[in-house]
Amino acid sequence: MAAAPDIMRSPRAPSPSHTVSEPPASLNPAQLEAVHHLGGPCLVLAGAGSGKTRVITHKIARLLQAGYAPGQIAAITFTNKAAQEMRERAKALIGPKAAKPLVVATFHSLGVRILRGDGERVGLKEQFSILDSDDVLGVLKDAGATTDNALARRWQWAISSWKNQGLSSAQVEPANDDERVAQRVMQRYEERLAAFQAVDFDDLIGLPMQLLRRDAEVRGKWQEALRYLLVDEYQDTNATQYEMLKLLAGERALFTAVGDDDQSIYGWRGATIDNLRRLPTEFPTLKVIALEQNYRSTGSILRAANAVIGHNPKLFEKKLWSAFGDGDPVAVIECDGEEHEAERAVARIQSQRGQGGQVAFRDFAVLYRANHQAKVFEKALRKASIPYKVSGGQSFFDRAEIKDLCAWLRLLVNNDDDPAFLRAVTTPKRGIGHQTLSSLGEFASKWKTSLYEALFAESLGTAVPARAIGSLHEFGRYVNDLEYRARHTTGAEDAKALLLGWLKDIDYEKHLYDGEDSEKLSAARWSNVMDFVDWVAKRCGGEIENDGGLSIETERKSVLEVAQTISVIISLAERGDDQDVVTLSTLHAAKGLEWPHVMLAGVNEGLLPFLSGDDEMTPQRLEEERRLMYVGITRARTTLAVSTLRRRKKGRDTVQGVPSRFIGEMKLHEVQTKEDPRAKLKALREAAALRAAAVAPTSP
């Protein structure tokens, strides 16, 4: 058995009756109730902008006060960015020393932690490989004997969906011929992953779940290690994530789930709102606490949000309110078409910036349902010389051709990087098929070596046919030679020559053109490759720059040195969120973010709610689209504009635009009774005081 995680232990879980100090003044009554509930399962219904991260970090502090060791507390998020924010906030509240042992992780990184510790129990070596989406696509194309990217992606989606339901290929019950084919591909895919000692992102949840379910010893170890669980964005969990959390919590059920049923917008990738429905049933002692005070938006914006989401059936009652007053009314802008809509957006930005004050470009966001809607806004913003960034689209460094080249460079730096090896050895193809790689993977696993190291093992001939060994050795020798040359090549000019020579050696241009039906698309991809070559070469230095009249040669670096820092370079190139630019974003990518001024674009039937082709608008789909509208509305702090099109493009045609039903549901023209936020806050405090008095121990 692998060693238990390095944690600080307490003899038992702290008593829920532990003495509580005076509550922090920064928390409202509902937040305080959530922070101090330690004795059992807790669901915090955190409405948009209601301070959920503040609740989680203060609850961490409360748990430490109650006797938990930092290493026994796990705060689980969905994104690295959210995890980093939570870690920084916790550090600011409890200090760096206490914060360091905290387990603040994404679901996937927690899965990696479990598999690194106990993965041998499901047949994984400690240094298993994690395949990204493009790696998976390549393996699936090989497993299904196809070069059709679209078909392979459909398999990828189907397999991911099954895995998120906790199903293996043997457990899948195909509903039609397409699913039967996908099931057979999934079976071969599973065999290849096992041979490669590799997992995909879905496995990082599914395998730990299986391990915890089947192995009582491992389950007990991790339940003892992680004694209290805090789960952020709980409404976005899928079936396997829910089961994994349930197994980690065990019978003690000491957890706090923080989520919002009104912001469940990821059903298309396996998230299920049923996980919220199950909690009260499976945990009868569940404490449900609603955070309704919004610290982000004005009253006008929140009334519109409440009105829209009120048309969905409610799992739990919750209604957002704000102490900020009404603010500006929500504006509805009718536009002739997409170009006119973009012009109106630009004019709105220019007008609000021209009203005085310190209104920056970063204060504005244009949000839309689909990526293709960004193009016309980009054109209008460029014309007006307004800086912008596009969120939710594909980064340059996420393109398949760039990831191919980065895999080669990663392999030069670290020969033991198995995912990089798998991508490099098959891109371009060089007569090394999946059977050879499967045998190589089994051999490497048996002798606990990396795939690259296994190439040169004297006994490799016992596992791999002689003809295949020749191809593998040829690849290995080329990598060795390229690494030597990369180590000794410095300066931009020589670096570019080396990189271009390498691309010619592996015939990468031919690989791109052979892999695409469209010559135009192939040319665009090759242009990206040339941009990448220039980008890397430039960072090798040796170029003459003028500095105040002096000619200075930039610092020379080897190609290998640049390759060693490639991830850092990429992160710097993908500049951070502090740029003074307008944000263009899909509604999905905007979740969790906020801006003072927001414009929701293309709020038309067919766009929002989205309907494609012959798809049927089921009640479930409509509810999720309505939640997406709610998310968009609640991104706005100060002003919100909703634009609709009189005419819109549909494919190559122009059709009459019908305003979205969601605009009517906002009830913008109804006279509404305005709440007094001060009276509301007073009533909440009085109710909290009464509850506290009711549970206080009586004197003997």
Side-chain angles (χ1 to χ4, degrees), residues 26 219 316 689:
S26 60
R219 184 168 62 251
F316 306 95

Side-chain angles (χ1 to χ4, degrees), residues 389-452:
K389 67 176 181 181
V390 181
S391 299
Q394 188 182 45
S395 157
F396 177 78
F397 297 99
D398 286 334
R399 300 179 189 277
E401 58 271 21
I402 305 305
K403 296 180 86 168
D404 287 343
L405 306 188
C406 285
W408 274 86
L409 295 179
R410 281 163 45 201
L411 186 61
L412 299 186
V413 172
N414 175 16
N415 295 159
D416 293 331
D417 186 335
D418 281 1
F421 176 94
L422 287 171
R423 189 163 190 142
V425 79
T426 56
T427 311
K429 293 188 180 298
R430 50 181 47 81
I432 300 173
H434 76 267
Q435 289 183 336
T436 297
L437 292 174
S438 176
S439 300
L440 180 66
E442 290 174 2
F443 180 85
S445 177
K446 179 182 178 180
W447 295 105
K448 296 182 170 41
T449 69
S450 69
L451 295 171
Y452 185 84

Side-chain angles (χ1 to χ4, degrees), residues 335-352:
C335 306
D336 294 334
E338 285 86 354
E339 288 79 10
H340 185 217
E341 182 178 47
E343 290 168 4
R344 294 289 299 271
V346 167
R348 189 172 176 86
I349 293 168
Q350 291 171 327
S351 172
Q352 288 175 306

Side-chain angles (χ1 to χ4, degrees), residues 448-506:
K448 296 182 170 41
T449 69
S450 69
L451 295 171
Y452 185 84
E453 189 178 357
L455 292 184
F456 304 102
E458 291 183 6
S459 55
L460 183 61
T462 61
V464 178
R467 56 180 175 78
I469 287 180
S471 298
L472 289 170
H473 281 175
E474 183 183 354
F475 173 73
R477 284 193 294 270
Y478 184 79
V479 170
N480 273 335
D481 177 64
L482 186 61
E483 180 189 339
Y484 177 85
R485 288 186 286 142
R487 189 183 300 277
H488 294 90
T489 300
T490 64
E493 187 176 346
D494 290 344
K496 187 172 183 176
L498 171 69
L499 295 168
L500 292 175
W502 156 52
L503 293 173
K504 186 177 180 181
D505 290 343
I506 65 175

Side-chain angles (χ1 to χ4, degrees), residues 41 95 106 112 124 174 178 182 225 297 324 366 370 475 690:
T106 64
V112 171
L124 286 177
D178 288 343
S297 307
F324 293 150
V366 179
F475 173 73
L690 288 171

Side-chain angles (χ1 to χ4, degrees), residues 79-85 360-365 387-392 570-585 589-596 637:
T79 66
N80 288 319
K81 184 178 179 180
Q84 182 62 30
E85 182 188 359
F361 287 121
R362 68 168 62 89
D363 295 333
F364 296 89
Y388 69 91
K389 67 176 181 181
V390 181
S391 299
I570 288 173
S571 68
L572 292 173
E574 305 269 72
R575 296 193 293 176
D577 298 328
D578 59 346
Q579 297 171 270
D580 189 20
V581 296
V582 173
T583 297
L584 304 179
S585 175
K591 187 171 176 289
L593 304 175
E594 60 183 73
W595 297 267
R637 299 208 313 251

Side-chain angles (χ1 to χ4, degrees), residues 625-688:
E625 291 291 307
R626 186 175 283 116
R627 291 194 292 269
L628 195 57
M629 178 73 176
Y630 174 84
V631 166
I633 294 170
T634 54
R635 298 312 92 195
R637 299 208 313 251
T638 308
T639 71
L640 173 66
V642 179
S643 67
T644 183
L645 307 170
R646 295 188 183 95
R647 294 182 300 278
R648 70 180 184 89
K649 292 176 183 174
K650 189 175 181 181
R652 295 184 178 181
D653 300 323
T654 299
V655 298
Q656 184 177 353
V658 179
S660 170
R661 69 194 77 185
F662 299 151
I663 295 177
E665 291 176 359
M666 294 168 78
K667 300 180 180 178
L668 299 178
H669 302 297
E670 288 190 9
V671 178
Q672 300 181 31
T673 304
K674 298 177 183 178
E675 284 182 328
D676 182 351
R678 290 171 296 183
K680 175 114 178 175
L681 192 56
K682 183 181 177 183
L684 286 170
R685 284 172 175 157
E686 289 172 351

